[in-house]
Structures are given as C-alpha cells and as structure tokens.
C-alpha cells in the first residue's frame, strides 16, 4: 500500500501519513488538501512509503490535489529541506513560507494559467559599459554553467545595476530565468520600472509582501511555469519556485533586511548562495560596503572578486565628506549652523539637499520638566514617540498608540516638551529656517499610501523639491542627479553599541547615504554632525576607504572570536510572567553544556528590548568554531528543549543571528 508523506504548516517537527486520494494521483511535490483535526489544510507531498507507524485504519485520505499549481521539483524540495535542517524549523513551515498567502488557502479561486509570451530577451542598451564594468561582467560570465559566487564590490554610483542587467541578459539569451533581489520594498517599484524599460520584450514580475494577494500569487505561478523570465523581489523571492533559474543577483547583499526575524529566521543572501550551489549557477553579491562575512569569503578565495572603483557617470566623483563638531556648533532642534548654511547655498544654486535622520516621528520622547516623567510604552521597555501631526504617541515596537496628554500624567504639570529629533521635528525646523524652500519628508509614515514614494522620487528628478528629510528609506538604491549635499544627524548613537555589528552597520549606512550626493556633474558634499569628529570610523568614511575599515574590523572580530571566525546561534525566550524566560534559559544552558562541552555557552541576558507587547524577553548565545560543530549540537539541543515540554515560555532558535 502506498502511503503519502505530507508536510503541513503546524508547529511540529514531523511530516504526516495520508492515504492517496480516491481516483487521483498525488505525485511528490504536489500541493494537496487534507483533513487535519477539525480543519482542512493545504500541504505538500514530500515523499512516499510502503509502510506507516500509524494503524492503516486510522489513516485519512487526501481530499484533493490542487490542480492549478504545478509540483515542486526535487531541487526545490531539497532547498526546503536544507532550510528546515539548517535553521531548525519544521519542514511544513518552511514550505508554507515559500507560498503566497492565497496559495495556502483551502478554498480559493483557481490561478489562471499564464499566457505564454513571445519572449525577446534583448537588453535595450543606453550606453556602452565602462572598462571596469566590462571586466566585472566578464568575471561573472566566466562562471556560466557552474556554481560561481562573485562579489561585485562597487562604490556608490559605479554602475552595479548596469552590470546586473547585462548578466541577466546573458541568462535570458540561454533561455533561462533570472532572480534579482533587493533589500527594501521601497526600492522595488523603482527597480521594476527600470528593468521593464531595459527588457521591453520580457515578462518581469515583482515579489514582495506589499503586493495584492492576487498579483503575488499570479507572479509566483508565472515564475514556477517559466512564463516570468525575470523575478524582482525582496528576501521572500529566494524561496520561490523557478522552471529554469540561470542566475541569482543579490543587490546590497550586506543589508540587514535580508534576514527574517520571525518564524523561519533565514538569511536570504545565504539561502541564495546555497540555492546557486545546488543548481550549479552563478550568484552575484553586490555592494559598496560588503558584509564582513562576504568580504572574508572573497579574500580567502571562496568568492571571485570583481571591482568597480570609480563612478560610471562622466565627470562624477565621490563626495567630499567632513564632520561638524556639535560641541562647538551646537545644534538647534537637531541642525547646526554649518549644515543650515550649506543647505541655503544649494538652494541658491538650484541644487538639492538630503537631511538624513534615522528616527521617525516628531521626537523620540515627550518629557515633563517638572517631574522628569517621559512617555514610555506600558507594554514594551521603549519610549512612545511623539507624532505631532496626528497628535499621537506611538510605540514603534508593538504598535500601541494614544492621544498626546494635555498635562503630565504623573504630576499634572503642563510643562510637557518634546526631547530629541525625529523626521517630523527636523522638517518643521527646516520650514521655519527656510520658509521659501520646497521641503518634503520621506519615512514610513509619510509614504504609507501606495505610490507615495514614487511620487516623491519623481518630484525629486523633476527638481520640484529643494530639501528631502528622510530615514534609511532614502539612503540606498536611489539616484538623485541634482542632489549635491547630504547632512547626517544622530550618527553617534551607534558608536558605542553593545552589538558587535554596530560599527559595520554604521559605516555601511554612512557610505550609502553619502553616495546619494554628487552623482551628476556637480560636486557632492557630506556633513556628519557629531560630538566625536576625530573618531576613526568617520575618518574611514571621509577617505572612502572600505578596505582599510574592513581589514581593521576583521582583525577585531578575529581577536574577539566573532563571525566570520566563529558561528553563532541565539536561543530567544519570552513569557508573560516575570523571571520565567531567565529560568528557562538557565535550564537550557545547563542542557547545552551536557550535550557538547566544546560549544561555548554564554549566560542568559535580557533582550535588547527587554519587554515587548507585554512579554518579558531574554536570550542565550552559543558559539562554535565551525558549522560542522554547531549544526549537530543545535539539532540535539532543540530535541531536548522540545522534550522538556515547557509551555509557559515561547522560545525559538535563531541561527546566524544578526542582532545579538
């Protein structure tokens, strides 16, 4: 008797046995609908067997085979199995993460089969490649037909996208598909428009979580059957099925957005490399500031290094970067005299400026001068942020919001004042100082409406805006030909973080936002407001010297025993009752030391955000010299934790954590 092994999206680390459907075939890889308890679920057939541990009379039969969705191929199932084993998550959860929400529904409308198009893979060239771009493309093409990881290290404005497009054209010319990944949803519409214009005869689909359910499902099906030749997406796109994938490109490969922080906590960049290795195809990792892990792989010869050391536009040069000593030039509502004067000069010359502040809202906190009360969230160990235009205090962690109090909730005084600078407050200060300037704020609040960001970017290119005030949404990927000044606020907060990756991320962020200036013929300038103008990190940014920064940072990592010279996993725990996460983690640490004494187990500590949405949170770090040591340990440790049966504490393992 044939028994079907079916993976379901349930929090159990096992697959389930079912009988075949009556009068129909259910091949491995097919989506099926099965009865499960009092419900019905969509699952995937992942294997067949001639026997079962469950009495046959108790087995239920598959209800139906999902007919409008093709089967997952063996390569795709192998990728899911790898992710399940490596990231310590149930196979059914991994497969579900690859499916758009509509395809997980038991009852839904069928997805229409994509209409085949007459494909014309030719790339519409606008200009010839530079010598460096041509050399980088040749380095990528040298690996056609085999696994060939390439680090494309190009300074901001060096034309990495042009190299990507030519590499994609080569894959399309061979009749294969291409996956181009970007870190932020906000970048996808701009990229999509550009890619469509350069491949006018080719079907391009987007893949990100902000798409309408129908569009996302249709794109998924088009990629699976091969109708979509180019897929442009965020991290979730790396798990999509393809008929014949020929190349994977990961733009801004260093970006933390490629790491999923809930459920299946995968790194899309690392999964992309693994997928390319399994398929035997090239994978390109592009960045102006490669992650130290990727940099180390290139230096050790595991990745091919291709470099773009100069800006592609004729006459364009890297901006001049300098610091403004805020101990001498004290900021007024976040802005120094030097920065304001520099903005005024750009407005007079008809040039544009960008003021970068990585905080949304009017200010970080509402403060009472009489009793020192400040606006904290009752559910999180975090401040409530003042959003003046909506007259609200909001927690950016749990979403709690409330009206701004008229007087202090603690002492009743009316002496409430905002402390610190968010994007809204900086915008208001600029409007007061520059009443004639055309100023626009760009953050997640101001661009929540569909199409809002594109409208702003179109205005920037039309030179209808003088000053942009924004968060990291504006720091990468965008090209502003007439923007010549970038001012950076609040950079110092990352200099003394406990996170060992903080300096790397600050350097990358400063290089990325600096790279928005001077991309045309007019020279660019960057002013970083800081209390520490002599700090070595700012000096490295000013010299545009990534290699020197990376060498020093890698040596620090080597001495401290942090990645890429070790491998980490983080056990996270949270509970409603105070003290329970710590008790759970201390017991877990004791079990870990018994399983493998060679694994270094740190003491439990509170999470960086100790309380969130009413839950107390803590974490426990473990470190191993190699993945070969870490993976077997994690499997055994996880089995021991599951066997412990703790129900009051929610816990999860984060392999290769990005936030420690």
């Amino acid at each position: 008797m044939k028994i079907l092994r079916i993976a379901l999206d349930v929090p159990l680390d096992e697959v389930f046995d079912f009988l075949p459907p009556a009068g129909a075939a259910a091949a491995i890889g097919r989506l099926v609908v099965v009865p499960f308890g009092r419900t019905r679920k969509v699952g995937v057939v992942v294997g067949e067997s001639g026997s079962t541990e469950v009495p046959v009379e108790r087995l239920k039969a598959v209800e139906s085979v999902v007919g409008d969705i093709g089967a997952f191929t063996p390569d795709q199932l192998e990728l899911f199995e790898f992710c399940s084993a490596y990231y310590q998550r149930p196979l059914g959860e991994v497969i579900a993460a690859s499916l758009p929400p509509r395809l997980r529904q038991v009852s839904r409308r069928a997805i229409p089969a994509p209409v085949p198009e007459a494909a014309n893979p030719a790339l519409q060239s606008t200009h010839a490649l530079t010598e460096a771009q041509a050399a980088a493309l040749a380095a990528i093409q040298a690996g056609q037909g085999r696994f060939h990881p390439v680090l494309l290290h190009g300074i901001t404005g060096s034309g990495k996208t042009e190299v990507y497009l030519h590499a994609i054209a080569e894959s399309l010319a061979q009749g294969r598909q291409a996956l181009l990944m970007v870190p932020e949803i906000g970048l996808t519409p701009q990229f999509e428009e550009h890619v469509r214009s350069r491949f006018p005869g080719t079907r391009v689909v987007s893949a990100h979580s902000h798409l309408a359910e129908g569009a996302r499902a249709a794109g998924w099906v088009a990629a699976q059957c091969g109708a979509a030749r180019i897929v442009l997406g965020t991290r979730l796109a790396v798990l999509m099925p393809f008929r014949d994938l020929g190349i994977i490109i990961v733009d801004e490969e260093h970006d933390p957005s490629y790491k999923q922080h809930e459920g299946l906590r995968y790194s899309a960049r690392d999964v992309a490399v693994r997928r390319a290795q399994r398929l035997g195809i090239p994978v390109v990792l592009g960045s102006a500031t490669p992650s130290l892990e990727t940099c180390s792989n290139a230096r050790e010869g595991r990745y091919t290094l291709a470099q773009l050391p100069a800006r592609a536009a004729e006459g364009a040069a890297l901006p001049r970067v300098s610091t403004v000593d805020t101990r001498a030039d004290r900021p007024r509502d976040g802005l120094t005299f030097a920065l304001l004067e520099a903005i005024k000069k750009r407005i007079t010359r008809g040039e544009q400026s960008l003021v970068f502040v990585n905080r949304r809202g009017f200010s970080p906190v509402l403060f009472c001068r009489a009793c020192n009360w400040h606006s904290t969230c009752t559910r999180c160990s975090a401040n409530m942020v003042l959003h003046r235009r909506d007259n609200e205090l909001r927690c950016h962690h749990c979403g709690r919001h409330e009206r701004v109090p008229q007087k202090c909730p603690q002492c009743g005084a009316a002496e409430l004042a905002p402390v610190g600078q968010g994007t809204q407050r900086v915008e208001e200060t600029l409007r007061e100082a520059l009443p004639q300037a055309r100023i626009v704020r760009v953050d997640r609040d101001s661009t929540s409406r569909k199409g809002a960001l594109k409208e702003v970017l179109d205005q920037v290119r039309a030179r209808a805006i003088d000053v942009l005030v924004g968060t990291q949404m504006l720091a990468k990927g965008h090209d502003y030909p007439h923007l010549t000044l970038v001012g950076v606020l609040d950079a110092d907060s990352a200099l003394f973080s406990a996170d060992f990756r903080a300096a790397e991320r600050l350097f990358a962020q400063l290089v990325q936002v600096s790279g928005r200036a001077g991309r045309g013929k007019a020279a660019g300038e960057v002013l970083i407001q800081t209390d520490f103008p002599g700090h070595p990190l700012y000096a490295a940014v000013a010299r545009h010297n990534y290699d020197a920064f990376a060498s020093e940072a890698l040596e620090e990592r080597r001495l401290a025993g942090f990645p890429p010279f070790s491998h980490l996993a983080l056990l996270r725990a949270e509970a409603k009752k105070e003290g329970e996460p710590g008790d759970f983690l201390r017991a877990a640490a004791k079990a870990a030391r018994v399983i493998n004494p060679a694994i270094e187990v740190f003491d439990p500590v509170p999470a960086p955000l100790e309380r969130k949405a009413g839950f107390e949170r803590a974490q426990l770090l473990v470190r191993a010299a190699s993945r070969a040591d870490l993976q077997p340990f994690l499997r055994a440790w996880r089995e021991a934790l599951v066997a412990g049966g703790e129900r009051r504490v929610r816990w999860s393992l984060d392999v290769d954590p990005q936030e420690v």
Side-chain angles (χ1 to χ4, degrees), residues 561-629:
F562 280 122
F565 304 100
S566 67
H567 299 274
L568 308 178
L570 200 63
L571 178 60
R572 304 178 189 273
E574 61 181 27
K576 289 281 189 179
K577 189 174 180 181
E578 184 178 351
E580 285 187 344
D583 293 341
F584 170 79
L585 292 178
R586 279 185 283 275
K590 184 176 180 180
R593 294 184 178 102
V594 172
I595 292 169
N596 187 346
I599 300 294
E600 187 175 5
V601 182
F602 291 77
D603 291 331
V605 296
L609 185 65
E610 188 171 356
R611 192 164 186 82
K612 181 177 180 181
F615 282 83
E616 180 183 307
R617 307 159 80 225
Q619 60 192 39
L620 171 67
L621 184 69
V622 297
R623 177 165 62 181
S626 69
R627 287 192 176 96
D629 293 333

Side-chain angles (χ1 to χ4, degrees), residues 139-149 176 246 276-277 279-283 304:
I140 296 169
Q141 292 175 332
Q144 288 293 342
R146 60 183 174 88
F147 174 55
H148 181 56
R176 309 190 76 179
Q277 184 181 37
L279 294 174
I281 62 174
V283 56
T304 296

Side-chain angles (χ1 to χ4, degrees), residues 28-110:
I28 293 176
R30 293 304 299 261
L31 270 67
V32 294
V33 176
V34 299
F36 192 79
R38 297 182 179 180
T39 65
R40 298 155 69 220
K41 284 184 171 291
V42 172
V44 175
V45 181
V46 295
E48 297 176 350
S49 176
S51 61
T52 175
E53 295 180 1
V54 180
V56 175
E57 61 271 15
R58 291 181 55 191
L59 289 181
K60 296 179 180 180
V62 169
E63 284 190 9
S64 61
V65 178
V66 179
D68 59 330
I69 305 298
F72 286 113
T73 65
D75 281 333
Q76 290 155 4
L77 291 176
E78 191 276 340
L79 180 71
F80 298 149
E81 289 166 357
F82 163 77
C83 290
S84 172
Y86 187 83
Y87 292 108
Q88 304 295 319
R89 303 298 298 187
L91 178 60
E93 179 186 293
V94 175
I95 297 176
S98 77
L99 292 169
R102 178 160 294 184
L103 300 189
R104 301 176 210 158
Q105 297 171 5
V106 171
S107 300
R108 59 171 177 83
R109 293 180 181 177

Side-chain angles (χ1 to χ4, degrees), residues 186 190 452-462 474 478 480:
Q190 179 193 1
L453 178 60
K454 183 180 184 301
E455 291 175 10
V456 172
L457 297 179
D458 289 343
Q459 286 180 298
V460 173
R461 294 187 184 93
L474 292 174
H478 302 296
Y480 316 110

Side-chain angles (χ1 to χ4, degrees), residues 379-456:
R379 306 173 67 207
C380 307
S381 52
N383 293 325
M384 298 278 278
V385 176
L386 173 61
H387 288 251
R388 175 166 285 182
R389 290 189 179 175
D390 299 317
N391 195 35
E392 279 189 343
L393 294 171
R394 298 180 195 165
C395 177
H396 290 174
H397 297 283
C398 73
R400 175 182 169 82
H401 57 92
E402 59 188 46
R403 304 299 289 177
V404 173
Q406 298 299 311
K407 56 184 180 180
C408 175
Q410 183 167 284
C411 72
E415 300 179 45
L416 295 177
V419 177
Q421 292 79 39
T423 47
Q424 287 184 22
R425 190 170 191 183
V426 171
E427 179 192 13
E428 288 192 10
T429 302
L430 283 168
R431 291 190 184 281
E432 292 173 5
L434 309 167
Q436 305 304 317
R438 298 166 297 178
I439 301 168
V440 173
R441 171 172 55 89
V442 177
D443 55 26
R444 295 200 185 279
D445 299 316
S446 67
T447 58
S448 57
R449 177 177 55 83
K450 184 178 180 180
L453 178 60
K454 183 180 184 301
E455 291 175 10
V456 172

Side-chain angles (χ1 to χ4, degrees), residues 644-650:
E646 175 59 67
R647 296 182 181 274
R648 295 170 300 176
V649 176
R650 299 194 308 204

